[in-house]
Amino acid sequence: MAESENLDNLADLDFAGVSPEEFAKIVKGLSNKEINEIARDEVLRTRVLAEVFGRMGRQFRPETAGTLEALIRWKVGDGHEAVYETRIAEGTCTVTEGRSDAEPRVTLVMGDAEFLKLVSGNSNPVTMFMTRKLKIAGDVALAAGLTRYFDIPKA
């Protein structure tokens, strides 16, 4: 499939109707170049990020989080940075777009391609950190264990 065809198919996709596993397969089939092309289309990028962050609450595993209370700030992008915050407290996970005045327990910084690969189960966060594709400020131990608090699909 040609790159432009992959992007056209993604642009036409009804994200709400795509399961996490299907999304993981789509991301697995995209090159970094294709993902970066998506990121340059602001409308498509916004749709993808909104859907991914919108699913975090549904994919949250409260039984694993227990009494954890934390604010995680996500900075996603190469150049034009999107900021989201995930608050875990009292067995719930809420996500907001934008930066609050609250101090995060951990901040995760990565490019668009790295983010999509991470949240779709197509990349290992430890490897990403070791290769500097994922930058962490704050509680590194929390960051290292974040994936266990969410049902992350396997492609």
Side-chain angles (χ1 to χ4, degrees), residues 87-102:
R87 180 174 301 280
I88 298 173
E90 299 177 14
T92 64
C93 174
T94 55
V95 178
T96 54
E97 184 177 0
R99 180 189 177 110
S100 70
D101 291 334

Side-chain angles (χ1 to χ4, degrees), residues 10-73:
L10 195 59
D12 294 337
L13 196 60
D14 173 17
F15 291 108
V18 175
S19 74
E21 293 74 21
E22 290 169 319
F23 183 74
K25 287 178 186 169
I26 291 167
V27 172
K28 187 174 188 172
L30 294 171
S31 68
N32 283 3
K33 182 179 177 185
E34 288 173 307
I35 293 172
N36 289 329
E37 189 69 28
I38 292 165
R40 283 192 283 281
D41 180 332
E42 196 57 39
V43 172
L44 183 54
R45 178 178 189 247
T46 300
R47 282 180 56 212
V48 170
L49 289 175
E51 186 60 35
V52 169
F53 281 105
R55 290 178 182 209
M56 278 190 180
R58 294 190 304 271
Q59 290 179 246
F60 179 63
R61 299 170 61 193
E63 69 283 358
T64 305
T67 59
L68 174 68
E69 292 205 16
L71 176 67
I72 299 107
R73 183 170 293 147

Side-chain angles (χ1 to χ4, degrees), residues 83-152:
V83 177
Y84 284 81
E85 292 183 342
T86 305
R87 180 174 301 280
I88 298 173
E90 299 177 14
T92 64
C93 174
T94 55
V95 178
T96 54
E97 184 177 0
R99 180 189 177 110
S100 70
D101 291 334
E103 188 64 32
R105 187 156 152 195
V106 67
T107 299
L108 306 170
V109 182
M110 68 201 86
D112 290 287
E114 290 76 21
F115 173 73
L116 286 182
K117 288 181 178 188
L118 176 69
V119 299
S120 66
N122 285 299
S123 191
N124 181 308
V126 174
T127 302
M128 289 175 61
F129 177 72
M130 298 302 283
T131 58
R132 300 180 187 265
K133 292 180 179 177
L134 166 63
K135 295 172 183 67
I136 300 170
D139 189 340
V140 176
L142 173 63
L146 267 182
T147 56
R148 74 173 167 256
Y149 302 124
F150 297 90
D151 284 323
I152 298 178

